[in-house]
Each structure stands twice: as C-alpha cells, then as structure tokens.
Amino acid sequence: MKTFQGLFVLMTLYVISSTTFAQNSTNEPKKEVQTSKKWYDKISLRGYAQVRYNRLLETNEKLKCEQCDRSWGENGGFFIRRGRLIFSGDISDKLYIYIQPDFASNVSNSFQHSFQLRDAYFDLALDSKKEYRLRIGQSKVPYGFENMQSSQNRLSLDRADPTNSPVSNERDLGVFFYWAKAEIRKRFAYLVSSGLKGSGDYGVFAFGLYNGQNANKAEQNNQPHIVSRITYPFKLKSGQIIETSLQAYTGKFVIEKNAKNTTTNTSYIDRRVAASLIVYPQPLGIQAEYNIGEGPEFNPTTMATEVKKLNGGYAQIMYRQKVGENHITPFVKYQYYNGGKKHEIDARRYIVKDLEIGAEWQLKDYFELTAIYTISDRIFEDAALPDNEQKGNLLRLQAQFNF
C-alpha cells in the first residue's frame, strides 16, 4: 500500500509539472485580468487641524470677535479652531464629490468642538473637458477671494469682517454654475499646490441660487439669494500672476432679534457688490478687497434694526521667502468695516478698525506656525448692549497640522 501511495504522488507531481511547462512554453502572452475600481476606491482622505491661543499680551479682555474666533477675550483659552476631514474624488468621468465635516465647530460659548457639516456637494460636469460644471449641495458661495480661500492656506487667522459678513462660514445650500477653460482650471490648481495661497477653482464665471440664511440653517422666507462672480488669473511674461474679480449678490435675510429690539420686521433687503485684487507673492504680494451694499443693521438710537448702507474692505501686503526647505511669510493686514452683521443677534452694528502684523512659518507640508500681533478698535452694539466700544491689543498664536 505504501508503494502504491508513493507511485500516486509521483504521477500527480509529474502531471502538474508537465501542465505548467506546457503553459510556460507557449508563445501567447499572458492575459492580465482587468478589474474596475469600485466607487469607494476612488475616494481620497485628507485633513487639517488648527490649535490656537489668543491671550498673550492681552490689554482688554472685553475685546471680542464672535464672527472670527470665540476664544478671544475673557474666559478664552487654548482652543481647537478647526478639525477637518475631507473626503473627495472623481466617482466617474463626470461626477466629483466633496464632503467635509468639522469636528471642532464652536456653536456657542457653552459648547465647543461640536461636529458640524461644512461641505457636502456634487460637481456634475456638462462636457468632457469639465469646463462647464454644476455644483449642487452645501458649498462656498462664490463671493470674494478670501472667502473662497481655504483656512488651510490663508495667512491671517481669520477672514476680514467686511467681506466675510455677507456669508457667515462662507457656505450655504444651493445650486451653482461654474465655467473656466481647462488651461485656467490648471492655473487655479497651481496657485494652491505651489503654496502661493490661491483661492481654489471656483470658475472664471460663476452664477448661483442659494437659500441665503447661511450654512446649516433652514430657509426662512422662500426667496433664494442670487449671486454671480467673474474672476481671472492673468499670467504676465515675467511669470507673475495677478487675479482680479468682481462679484455681487442680492436677496432677503431673516434676522434673530432680542426682546428689547423694538422693530416688528424680521426680513430685510440684503445685497452687495465687491471688487478684488490679488498680486500673488512671487515673492512680494498684495491682496485687497472692498465691498459696498445695504442690509439690516441695529440702530442704538431707535433701538431697532433698520436697512442701512454699509461699506468696508481690507488690504494685505506679504512677502514669501524660502529658507532652506521651509517658507517664511511675514505680512501686514488692515481692515475697516462700517455696517451690520446680519447673522448676529439684532444684525449687530459694527465699526471695525483692525491692524495685524504677523508671520507664518511653514515647515515642509505638514506643520505651520503663525504669530500675529493685533491692534483693534471695535464698536459692536445690539439691543442688549447699545453702547459698546472696545479697544485693545493681543498676540495670537496658531499651530496648524496638515495630514
């Protein structure tokens, strides 16, 4: 029996080796098995986090900025300003998705580091080159350069009040049409990937409809806002890139008001127009924007919210210098704003005069440290505090981690 088993094993090995030899000796090339990727294999994951401390050399703990950073002033301390994860990818030849939750949203002074949806949109290409696109979902409203610029790329720690107050958190739910030639779309991408602090690709021409009450808030008046923007990044023979933009929006906004506010109205005209000029830091750069319009603003004299004119803008000078494998970018920024902030209680009245002197140190691509000395003079008044002007200085620090 053992002899028979041994012969059976030897015969089996012979058959296997003969079959393998015959397959390898054929002149036909091997055929590779083609496997198509599943949709979830096409999704990339990245993110960043920002940790801040704002109270060094502070001269007035009553000086605050609800819109930009709620850890300013009294009871402020170490603060996770942003904690973002970004899921994105081309699901098919004509469908791109982008979903960005934030794990560090500050929804009130009592609750910090709450989960909140920032972006959830779908880009549907209307042609093979993806020059014509429809963006559907919650995304940034195409108004202003700094609003479009990611906080991951921006030099100053917060967006300027005058151009950020039109769209708090920069986002809303709607449908937007974008157009740009393929060549210019590549230029938009280069301005971000090269470290030149680009705003991203929001088309040369944009037009859209959106709710108008800002991100993560329900529509209140059944009247969508309308927005349009045109921008172009000119490339000079020297290689210098200069971008200019014009943008405008119109709609009606429903405010929240204090019981002491004597107005009986809650829906107000909300419209603005703005111009932008960006000279990218190669190595010296300039960034400036200005907008005018009208909208709701609290009047401390009548103790009521009224439709009033508004205006304001900012200017920033920066110099990007490579030091070894790293980059250091010192900058100076000044902003002025005179108007209401519709998304705050009573459409709080503001007069803002801020000067920032700072520098960003970028260690390769995974860590950034920013220090800014802020000199601020702010009037912010509502029905609960109708006479309020605060002046002060503070040193602000931020550590940013990119992954």
Side-chain angles (χ1 to χ4, degrees):
M1 181 64 69
K2 291 183 178 179
T3 303
F4 177 77
Q5 289 177 343
L7 288 173
F8 180 79
V9 171
L10 289 173
M11 290 176 67
T12 303
L13 292 173
Y14 174 78
V15 172
I16 293 173
S17 62
S18 299
T19 304
T20 304
F21 176 80
Q23 290 177 343
N24 292 339
S25 61
T26 181
N27 292 327
E28 295 182 3
K30 292 182 179 180
K31 294 183 179 180
E32 295 182 0
V33 179
Q34 299 292 332
T35 58
S36 59
K37 287 185 176 181
K38 301 294 184 182
W39 66 268
Y40 46 79
D41 294 324
K42 301 176 183 179
I43 303 295
S44 67
L45 173 62
R46 61 184 178 87
Y48 69 100
Q50 296 173 339
V51 182
R52 294 184 180 175
Y53 188 75
N54 294 313
R55 308 206 61 185
L56 292 174
L57 307 181
E58 181 184 77
T59 62
N60 180 5
E61 66 176 14
K62 299 296 183 182
L63 177 66
K64 296 187 176 184
C65 181
E66 180 178 315
Q67 177 183 348
C68 56
D69 189 335
R70 293 188 180 184
S71 65
W72 274 38
E74 59 184 343
N75 299 322
F78 291 101
F79 186 60
I80 300 178
R81 180 64 174 88
R82 293 175 177 88
R84 308 268 175 99
L85 288 177
I86 302 167
F87 303 84
S88 63
D90 289 296
I91 300 304
S92 68
D93 291 340
K94 293 189 176 181
L95 179 61
Y96 172 83
I97 71 169
Y98 188 99
I99 299 174
Q100 179 181 214
D102 188 352
F103 294 88
S105 295
N106 184 224
V107 294
S108 72
N109 290 329
S110 301
F111 299 96
Q112 292 185 356
H113 310 149
S114 303
F115 176 86
Q116 191 177 82
L117 184 67
R118 287 297 177 184
D119 297 279
Y121 64 79
F122 308 88
D123 275 5
L124 183 64
L126 304 180
D127 65 307
S128 58
K129 292 185 178 181
K130 301 181 182 179
E131 295 181 341
Y132 299 84
R133 294 171 289 150
L134 279 179
R135 177 165 294 178
I136 304 171
Q138 181 165 293
S139 65
K140 289 183 177 179
V141 175
Y143 183 86
F145 175 87
E146 194 178 54
N147 273 13
M148 302 297 97
Q149 189 181 38
S150 171
S151 299
Q152 188 175 16
N153 299 326
R154 193 179 59 252
L155 280 174
S156 57
L157 299 191
D158 299 299
R159 293 178 173 90
D161 294 56
T163 47
N164 189 232
S165 52
V167 189
S168 176
N169 292 323
E170 307 83 54
R171 297 163 172 85
D172 210 326
L173 188 61
V175 179
F176 304 94
F177 169 78
Y178 292 109
W179 170 82
K181 289 185 177 181
E183 175 188 358
I184 303 304
R185 293 199 66 192
K186 291 180 180 178
R187 188 173 299 172
F188 283 135
Y190 166 77
L191 289 170
V192 174
S193 62
S194 63
L196 292 177
K197 308 295 185 182
S199 65
D201 182 1
Y202 294 89
V204 168
F205 173 76
F207 178 83
L209 302 175
Y210 61 102
N211 283 343
Q213 290 297 131
N214 299 328
N216 300 313
K217 292 187 177 181
E219 172 66 319
Q220 298 290 322
N221 56 16
N222 299 316
Q223 297 183 37
H225 276 52
I226 301 172
V227 66
S228 188
R229 180 175 186 249
I230 185 167
T231 187
Y232 196 86
F234 297 92
K235 186 174 183 179
L236 307 183
K237 291 182 179 181
S238 63
Q240 177 69 57
I241 299 177
I242 299 174
E243 185 172 348
T244 58
S245 314
L246 286 174
Q247 48 263 308
Y249 77 87
T250 184
K252 284 194 172 182
F253 189 88
V254 178
I255 69 164
E256 296 181 28
K257 66 188 188 76
N258 187 287
K260 295 180 180 180
N261 191 325
T262 62
T263 186
T264 57
N265 185 31
T266 57
S267 182
Y268 294 85
I269 291 172
D270 174 31
R271 55 193 177 194
R272 300 195 192 191
V273 60
S276 310
L277 171 65
I278 295 84
V279 180
Y280 286 94
Q282 298 170 286
L284 180 66
I286 300 171
Q287 183 176 317
E289 297 188 89
Y290 197 85
N291 73 164
I292 59 173
E294 58 181 342
E297 179 183 336
F298 179 75
N299 186 340
T301 302
T302 61
M303 290 294 289
T305 300
E306 305 166 356
V307 174
K308 303 192 75 173
K309 301 289 184 181
L310 57 87
N311 68 93
Y314 72 91
Q316 176 177 284
I317 299 176
M318 51 212 160
Y319 189 88
R320 187 168 185 259
Q321 179 65 45
K322 187 172 184 180
V323 180
E325 297 182 356
N326 308 319
H327 283 89
I328 296 178
T329 308
F331 65 94
V332 177
K333 181 179 183 180
Y334 179 78
Q335 67 163 318
Y336 168 81
Y337 180 56
N338 186 345
K341 290 191 180 181
K342 61 186 180 184
H343 57 277
E344 296 184 13
I345 190 74
D346 295 327
R348 191 174 281 134
R349 172 180 179 254
Y350 273 85
I351 299 179
V352 177
K353 301 173 185 177
D354 281 2
L355 175 66
E356 294 183 321
I357 304 170
E360 176 195 85
W361 174 54
Q362 186 174 31
L363 179 63
K364 295 186 178 180
D365 58 354
Y366 56 84
F367 177 73
E368 296 176 16
L369 181 63
T370 304
I372 297 177
Y373 189 70
T374 300
I375 304 169
S376 182
D377 180 354
R378 288 175 171 255
I379 294 174
F380 43 110
E381 300 170 332
D382 54 33
L385 199 60
D387 183 13
N388 183 36
E389 180 177 7
Q390 302 294 338
K391 299 180 182 181
N393 309 332
L394 64 156
L395 178 63
R396 310 179 65 198
L397 300 176
Q398 174 181 280
Q400 177 172 302
F401 307 90
N402 306 314
F403 48 90

